[in-house]
Amino acid sequence: MNEAHITNSGEETQKLGERFADKLKVGDFVAFYGDLGSGKTTFIQGLAKGFGIKRRIISPTFIIVRHYKMAKGNFYHVDLYRTESKHDLLGVGLDQIIQDTNNIVALEWAEKMGELLPKKRIDIKFKYLDSNKRKIKIERHE
């Protein structure tokens, strides 16, 4: 799966995330890349809605990991913005979360994981085009 999308509003970005939820299954790891304010959390809010999660989704910037129950499995929203080193990741149990095949993991600031990123993953890259417009590129690695 290699696809690129242009969205013209936060609502369109969220709807794209909601539709993308149908393409995911437990065990999937989704790595998000993009500058601050490029739409990562907005897309993830749509993902959660697509999974049937009713709770308000906010970025776990200060606590790093948020957990949500789904009808089948768990959804973890991880934000590495404030992490300093790869050792911080192990301290929150991220390795166990990733290895559990009952989980779907959405990880913001994936570049901070370096070689700890799973080989089998989906990369979603956000590019800021203007105040409302984003280019979103999706690539699956098997």
Side-chain angles (χ1 to χ4, degrees):
M1 159 196 335
N2 283 334
E3 44 188 84
H5 303 268
I6 301 288
T7 60
N8 295 297
S9 67
E11 292 79 24
E12 282 185 24
T13 299
Q14 198 171 66
K15 285 283 185 202
L16 180 62
E18 191 175 343
R19 288 191 311 272
F20 189 71
D22 289 338
K23 297 180 180 182
L24 296 177
K25 60 189 181 319
V26 289
D28 280 343
F29 181 94
V30 188
F32 288 83
Y33 302 84
D35 293 335
L36 204 56
S38 62
K40 298 179 299 293
T41 300
T42 303
F43 187 97
I44 291 169
Q45 288 168 337
L47 265 184
K49 189 174 181 184
F51 294 145
I53 296 168
K54 305 277 189 247
R55 287 176 46 202
R56 184 169 166 253
I57 304 297
I58 56 173
S59 193
T61 303
F62 293 100
I63 60 168
I64 302 175
V65 177
R66 288 193 189 272
H67 169 249
Y68 304 90
K69 291 294 278 171
M70 299 185 300
K72 294 180 181 176
N74 302 291
F75 176 56
Y76 284 90
H77 179 191
V78 183
D79 185 333
L80 300 183
Y81 182 69
R82 296 213 174 270
T83 58
E84 297 294 322
S85 73
K86 293 175 192 132
H87 299 295
D88 294 344
L89 310 178
L90 303 175
V92 298
L94 189 56
D95 49 344
Q96 288 98 354
I97 292 169
I98 292 169
Q99 290 167 11
D100 188 334
T101 57
N102 290 313
N103 299 334
I104 293 176
V105 179
L107 181 118
E108 296 188 52
W109 302 98
E111 60 275 8
K112 290 191 169 207
M113 275 191 76
E115 73 279 354
L116 296 177
L117 272 175
K119 301 268 184 271
K120 184 178 183 232
R121 68 180 187 275
I122 300 164
D123 287 341
I124 303 184
K125 297 177 179 174
F126 291 76
K127 186 172 170 92
Y128 182 96
L129 300 177
D130 70 29
S131 60
N132 294 312
K133 197 176 211 173
R134 303 292 185 270
K135 181 176 184 178
I136 302 168
K137 206 170 148 187
I138 301 170
E139 183 178 355
R140 186 179 287 270
H141 301 275
E142 295 295 336

